Amino acid sequence: MSTSVRRPTIRDVAAKAGVSKSLVSLVYSSPQEVSAVRKERVLEAAAELGFSPNFLARSLATSSGTFVAILVADLHNPLFAAIVDHVRAKLEDRGEYGFMTSAMIANPDGTESVDSRTVSAIIDLRPKSVLVVGTIPSAEGLDALPKKTNIVVAGAVAENLPRAITVRSDDVKGIGLVVKHLIDKGHTKIAYINASPLEIGKMRSQGYSDAMAKAGLKSHIQIVNQDDDSERESYLSAKNLLQSKSAPTAIICYNDLVAIGAQEAVNEHMASGGGKVAITGYDNTYLAALKQISLTSIDHGTREIAEKAAELLIAEKHSTKKDEVHLLEPTLVIRDSSNFTLKGGK
């Protein structure tokens, strides 16, 4: 004969702490509104009883939600992972609970598509606000959330989400910084590898073209568009560029992942007697800073993006503007991959 142990409830915690049930609830939903003494008493009682709150169930029982939903477009993207880490830390500091999940699902053919069931589940759980990290195609279902629910997009453009508030860096300006840096190093034959058909990819491509034209290098514009940012695709793109009649002396890449794949082709090119080729990334992920990679890259201001996003997620006053965008200043981080002057440059 088996006996089941009853799970402690919020009433048990209230009784043990000698406070009301509503105060216990407030400790977990809005701890900043409870005095330190009473909060400590409640948490001690909860720890002794082995009580842990069910945030999702409580969210269903309220009209305003009790948690912040975080939907990530790509769990393998180091930039998105860094944004999520900083946002969750900021939410934790404010006593807010962030529930994170991937919004995309891998298909057998290697492509990804929106996990509509996950997006629907998030909507059904009634979050108090939603953070979308990256671009999620066909995420229009989020518009079904109540108007008082803030939707914030971080590190991407809010495509198909007119209600959303966007927090990102200025991609056109970022690419312009890279082009200027390479020109200053003596390069004129500068190519660009794009790895996204989404709005961010279009912006970076346009930023590259504009910067080249402004510098009088319109005839040297070369853009290679690939389907994804995989290492294999990036290697082939760079290899084809370097074997072409108009081979570049510098390659700007859509992001750091693309640059790492392209670097293999650059290394092969130089090993076979080709001239030195500069290469740059974008996102300034931890990969770029590794000594053996030492990749010049654009820093979005990841921590600042995360802090602003967290601030907007927990704001009491909700935005009523359409297409509200907060643009942060990007910065260029120069490393070994491009920090040399081209011989006979210009």
Side-chain angles (χ1 to χ4, degrees), residues 232-245:
R232 179 63 180 170
E233 282 288 313
S234 306
Y235 164 78
L236 291 174
S237 294
K239 185 174 183 178
N240 290 335
L241 278 170
L242 295 171
Q243 290 178 343
S244 68
K245 291 181 179 180

Side-chain angles (χ1 to χ4, degrees), residues 24-197:
V24 176
S25 179
L26 197 62
V27 166
Y28 289 103
S29 61
S30 302
Q32 66 278 9
E33 298 180 19
V34 183
S35 69
V37 173
R38 293 202 294 175
K39 181 166 64 177
E40 184 178 357
R41 189 190 311 165
V42 169
L43 294 176
E44 285 180 354
E48 289 180 25
L49 292 171
F51 170 81
S52 60
N54 187 329
F55 285 95
L56 302 183
R58 286 177 56 241
S59 188
L60 286 170
T62 65
S63 59
S64 58
T66 61
F67 73 101
V68 175
I70 302 174
L71 291 171
V72 187
D74 183 0
L75 290 175
H76 304 289
N77 188 310
L79 171 66
F80 297 162
I83 290 175
V84 169
D85 282 346
H86 291 315
V87 168
R88 293 182 73 186
K90 198 69 177 177
L91 292 175
E92 183 69 22
D93 288 343
R94 296 291 191 92
E96 299 287 349
Y97 173 59
F99 177 71
M100 183 197 74
T101 185
S102 171
M104 307 297 287
I105 190 167
N107 299 316
D109 62 358
T111 62
E112 289 188 326
S113 56
V114 176
D115 186 349
S116 56
R117 292 172 300 179
T118 295
V119 175
S120 295
I122 288 295
I123 294 170
D124 292 343
L125 289 170
R126 302 175 191 170
K128 64 166 58 176
S129 55
V130 177
L131 173 66
V132 177
V133 184
T135 301
I136 301 176
S138 306
E140 297 93 333
L142 292 176
D143 276 335
L145 289 164
K147 295 296 183 184
K148 65 182 178 180
T149 305
N150 265 351
I151 302 172
V152 179
V153 174
V157 175
E159 298 185 43
N160 304 315
L161 284 172
R163 279 183 55 194
I165 309 169
T166 301
V167 186
R168 61 179 179 83
S169 69
D170 189 330
D171 290 86
V172 172
K173 184 175 288 187
I175 286 291
L177 292 174
V178 179
V179 172
K180 181 181 184 304
H181 161 66
L182 292 171
I183 291 173
D184 289 345
K185 289 295 182 179
H187 297 276
T188 56
K189 296 179 180 179
I190 305 168
Y192 175 67
I193 299 178
N194 181 45
S196 174

Side-chain angles (χ1 to χ4, degrees), residues 261-290:
Q263 185 67 63
E264 185 180 352
V266 168
N267 291 341
E268 288 180 2
H269 170 77
M270 292 191 294
S272 63
K276 199 168 184 181
V277 177
I279 191 161
T280 67
Y282 206 106
D283 294 345
N284 196 35
T285 62
Y286 75 92
L287 296 170
L290 293 175

